[in-house]
Amino acid sequence: MTKAVYPGSFDPVTNGHLDIATRAAALFDEVVVGVYDTPAKSLLFTTKERVGLFARAASALENVKVVAYTGLTVDFARHTGAKVIVRGLRSATDFEREFEMNMMNKTMAPGVEQVFLVSDLAYQFLSASLLKEVMALGGTVDHLVPEHVAEALRRKFRR
Ligand code: ADP
């Protein structure tokens, strides 16, 4: 049985993240989405909220579960018993960052494989930070996130 982890800050989960989780669920026996508990960036949603939003978005995927984690992603993978770390790739900028992180992770955990799924064309431009920027400026992002996430965003931005 091959278990994979899909780590990220998911602030909040978007259709792009969900697409990667869905595709990973078709490739691996079990996918554990890991929501960073303490990422080094300012977040809109609490860890509990981010876990809840992703769990609801992925509720139809039977072999996907969502948990919070802290510390190194390679340690999270090892503790979970996962041999694979899944990441999504949108652009060349993503690639540069992921390439470096991949190399660093390999030095720490040679037994953990990292698998990169290229973003669907429809989500290439989609990032959680851009979504929040659009919301802050009064735009709508309903077509880019699950309905309950759109509602949660509207509540945060008091709309
Ligand atoms: P980070 O892990 O850097 O905090 P995110 O939480 O936004 O970034 O994303 C988690 C993972 O999902 C990363 O591998 C990221 O590249 C991927 N991802 C983000 N947005 C998309 C998208 N629109 N399509 C595919 N993959 C994405």
Side-chain angles (χ1 to χ4, degrees), residues 39-57:
K41 47 183 175 179
S42 55
L43 299 171
L44 181 65
F45 291 95
T46 65
T47 303
K48 200 171 162 214
E49 287 171 331
R50 288 178 286 134
V51 169
L53 290 173
F54 207 138
R56 187 163 165 197

Side-chain angles (χ1 to χ4, degrees), residues 102-114:
N102 174 287
M103 292 302 168
M104 181 58 84
N105 285 343
K106 267 282 170 221
T107 63
M108 295 186 286
V112 177
E113 205 53 74
Q114 291 158 88

Side-chain angles (χ1 to χ4, degrees), residues 8-158:
S9 39
F10 307 117
D11 185 44
V13 59
T14 68
N15 290 344
H17 295 134
L18 200 54
D19 177 56
I20 298 294
T22 304
R23 288 160 57 196
L27 289 173
F28 303 105
D29 297 302
E30 192 181 339
V31 176
V32 181
V33 174
V35 176
Y36 295 139
D37 199 7
T38 52
K41 47 183 175 179
S42 55
L43 299 171
L44 181 65
F45 291 95
T46 65
T47 303
K48 200 171 162 214
E49 287 171 331
R50 288 178 286 134
V51 169
L53 290 173
F54 207 138
R56 187 163 165 197
S59 59
L61 302 168
E62 280 176 9
N63 58 340
V64 175
K65 70 174 181 183
V66 185
V67 300
Y69 79 98
T70 49
L72 291 172
T73 300
V74 287
D75 288 339
F76 167 58
R78 280 194 290 227
H79 293 150
T80 307
K83 289 200 192 82
V84 178
I85 297 173
V86 172
R87 295 282 289 173
L89 277 186
R90 282 161 297 187
S91 58
T93 327
D94 270 359
F95 176 79
E96 296 278 336
R97 206 169 118 256
E98 295 295 335
F99 185 77
E100 275 184 15
M101 210 144 58
N102 174 287
M103 292 302 168
M104 181 58 84
N105 285 343
K106 267 282 170 221
T107 63
M108 295 186 286
V112 177
E113 205 53 74
Q114 291 158 88
V115 169
F116 299 93
L117 297 179
V118 174
S119 174
D120 188 277
L121 192 57
Y123 309 124
Q124 285 284 334
F125 66 97
L126 179 54
S127 73
S129 43
L130 192 55
L131 275 190
K132 288 177 280 186
E133 224 175 296
V134 170
M135 282 299 290
L137 294 170
T140 173
V141 297
D142 293 11
H143 54 304
L144 301 171
V145 293
E147 176 52 34
H148 68 282
V149 176
E151 270 165 32
L153 278 166
R154 281 195 290 271
R155 274 197 302 275
K156 285 278 179 197
F157 288 94
R158 299 180 206 291

